[in-house]
Amino acid sequence: METIQDEYKSTLENITNQIDAMIYEIENFYSDGPLKTPSEYKHDSFPIIRRLKEAKKLSEESLMMLNTKSFAK
């Protein structure tokens, strides 16, 4: 039986994977070719990618804390 901590850990892992997928999708969109993607879209995507990377870092920190707590038990 899964504990609430295990469920939360699984949710954080899924979120981290989804953030990776979103970052990849945005980066892939404008890396198809410089002539295909207007520069305004590239510049618009940079803050989004930066915030997604910040969110990923926070979710990874939470996962680290959960792993540390589970080892302490």
Side-chain angles (χ1 to χ4, degrees):
M1 180 175 212
E2 252 189 330
T3 66
I4 192 79
Q5 182 176 345
D6 293 334
E7 289 179 34
Y8 185 61
K9 183 179 176 184
S10 177
T11 299
L12 285 174
E13 289 169 345
N14 289 336
I15 289 170
T16 302
N17 292 335
Q18 290 171 357
I19 291 171
D20 276 336
M22 287 187 284
I23 291 170
Y24 175 79
E25 192 170 335
I26 292 171
E27 288 177 340
N28 194 41
F29 177 79
Y30 66 75
S31 68
D32 285 342
L35 299 177
K36 289 184 179 181
T37 309
S39 62
E40 63 200 48
Y41 295 147
K42 291 179 186 178
H43 294 295
D44 186 55
S45 67
F46 292 143
I48 296 169
I49 291 171
R50 185 176 60 246
R51 289 191 178 116
L52 285 170
K53 287 181 179 182
E54 290 170 5
K56 181 182 174 188
K57 181 180 174 186
L58 291 172
S59 64
E60 288 174 335
E61 287 174 2
S62 291
L63 279 168
M64 247 186 346
M65 293 301 292
L66 283 173
N67 288 331
T68 303
K69 287 180 185 178
S70 63
F71 284 125
K73 287 183 179 180

